[in-house]
Amino acid sequence: MNSRFSKLFCLGCLMALIWAPMTDVYGQSFHRSRSRGENYHFGFVYGSVGYNSLQTSLTNVVPSGAVGGSLGAGYEFRYKGLWVSLGIGAQFHRSALTLNEYSETREGFDTQGKGVTFHYDILSQKDKNEWTMVDIPLMVGYYIKGFYVGVGPKLSLPVKASVVSEGKYDFSAYYPMYNTIFHDMPGAPYYYTQYEFKGASEIIMNPLASICVELGYDVLSSVGMRSSLCTLLKIGGYFEYGLNSVVRPSSTAMYLNVDPKQAHLAQPTAYFGGMTEPKRVVPFFAGVKITLMLGGSRYGGGTYHKGCMCYQQ
């Protein structure tokens, strides 16, 4: 999915760079032609790509980020240097958590029915998180001489979330009758020392509220002489930070799932899947956002000016 997203994002940027200069051949710059008293209505499509990660209050874990982004469309209104926009889109998040070493034990029986305590020492575990959310961003801002800045809230609704955990662990067994820990026994299939694991889990997510900031420049702008439309291409830095925890604890979580018939085979649960108490897990994003806008102006008389978007006295 991420490879497909990257290809679509690059293709959209290329089409925008080709289209905007062509339209300028038939018209003049939006910024040179517009009157400060005009108001403009734009439809737009956007894409962003950058680095996303997590800020957490989790213990014994180290978060790391990866490439993520978003795609969407919306409406923008401009009047006397002010602008407001409302959109809808999809967000694609990727991040990871590296867990420090930890241990788990389980009570059970060996193949001869003797009571035993199984030990699982998790030597390494890395959780790779991916989720998709529907975004509804609202932004207000100001623009002057092609430069713009905006800030606003965004609501994100979870659609799909998963995590893949992989790593390795040491396995051993403690027999109370011998007061001895057994491990690395070639003749006993239960007691080889080290095993690798890899498995997928689902995580429970909350709707997410974020604060977003965008600042940049209208790189290309044109006003059509043969139509009543003008085109803008905005490129800017884009940042967002979550205001609430995105992961919900599970009431039935376990950090280790053990095969009841083969005790040496275990699958550590993803850290998010094993949370039983609320923890702060907040995503953040920093990257580049490109927006292609198409629209026109409406004058005081309530009609669109035909043929040229520049103000004529």
Side-chain angles (χ1 to χ4, degrees):
M1 173 178 288
N2 293 291
S3 176
R4 185 180 302 174
F5 165 74
S6 300
K7 292 179 181 178
L8 289 174
F9 183 79
C10 293
L11 179 61
C13 295
L14 179 61
M15 292 176 64
L17 291 172
I18 294 174
W19 181 21
M22 290 177 62
T23 57
D24 200 48
V25 173
Y26 303 107
Q28 53 186 303
S29 169
F30 166 77
H31 300 294
R32 294 195 305 268
S33 65
R34 71 173 178 84
S35 165
R36 297 287 288 183
E38 298 171 3
N39 50 70
Y40 282 80
H41 305 262
F42 291 97
F44 63 81
V45 293
Y46 69 86
S48 68
V49 63
Y51 175 86
N52 52 208
S53 187
L54 299 170
Q55 184 180 65
T56 77
S57 62
L58 304 176
T59 57
N60 298 322
V61 298
V62 178
S64 58
V67 175
S70 61
L71 294 171
Y75 165 79
E76 181 174 309
F77 173 73
R78 291 189 174 192
Y79 179 70
K80 290 186 176 180
L82 301 175
W83 61 274
V84 59
S85 69
L86 179 66
I88 185 168
Q91 170 193 157
F92 309 100
H93 174 96
R94 298 173 65 212
S95 62
L97 291 177
T98 301
L99 280 67
N100 297 329
E101 294 186 18
Y102 66 96
S103 299
E104 292 278 337
T105 60
R106 294 288 186 274
E107 300 296 327
F109 300 91
D110 66 6
T111 54
Q112 298 178 356
K114 297 177 180 179
V116 61
T117 300
F118 298 110
H119 290 258
Y120 306 86
D121 297 318
I122 313 302
L123 304 178
S124 66
Q125 180 176 342
K126 187 171 186 178
D127 295 347
K128 298 179 180 179
N129 311 297
E130 292 189 5
W131 63 66
T132 302
M133 306 184 85
V134 173
D135 287 344
I136 306 175
L138 173 66
M139 190 166 285
V140 295
Y142 187 79
Y143 68 98
I144 182 171
K145 295 182 179 180
F147 293 95
Y148 68 90
V149 62
V151 62
K154 184 182 75 169
L155 175 64
S156 301
L157 304 175
V159 176
K160 181 180 180 181
S162 64
V163 55
V164 175
S165 302
E166 56 185 351
K168 58 184 178 181
Y169 63 91
D170 276 350
F171 175 80
S172 59
Y174 171 74
Y175 280 84
M177 67 180 69
Y178 305 125
N179 194 26
T180 303
I181 295 177
F182 292 86
H183 60 83
D184 199 16
M185 299 172 60
Y190 273 18
Y191 306 138
Y192 288 111
T193 300
Q194 197 169 101
Y195 295 88
E196 295 183 351
F197 65 89
K198 182 176 182 179
S201 308
E202 292 186 357
I203 51 179
I204 306 173
M205 300 187 66
N206 294 317
L208 176 67
S210 304
I211 186 71
C212 306
V213 178
E214 182 179 356
L215 60 138
Y217 186 72
D218 294 345
V219 178
L220 298 171
S221 62
S222 65
V223 179
M225 295 295 290
R226 298 182 180 180
S227 70
S228 59
L229 297 177
C230 54
T231 305
L232 293 178
L233 179 65
K234 303 196 306 183
I235 298 181
Y238 179 71
F239 313 90
E240 60 181 67
Y241 187 83
L243 300 178
N244 63 283
S245 182
V246 73
V247 179
R248 187 185 311 168
S250 171
S251 59
T252 58
M254 295 181 62
Y255 277 121
L256 192 71
N257 294 310
V258 178
D259 187 330
K261 296 182 180 180
Q262 302 182 80
H264 62 296
L265 298 181
Q267 174 61 55
T269 305
Y271 199 98
F272 287 157
M275 287 197 319
T276 56
E277 298 179 359
K279 301 286 185 179
R280 181 173 173 80
V281 182
V282 173
F284 66 88
F285 175 88
V288 177
K289 182 178 178 180
I290 297 179
T291 306
L292 179 62
M293 306 171 61
L294 184 66
S297 68
R298 184 179 293 274
Y299 296 90
T303 59
Y304 283 102
H305 191 295
K306 300 297 182 181
C308 180
M309 299 311 302
C310 58
Y311 181 74
Q312 295 179 344
Q313 295 181 343

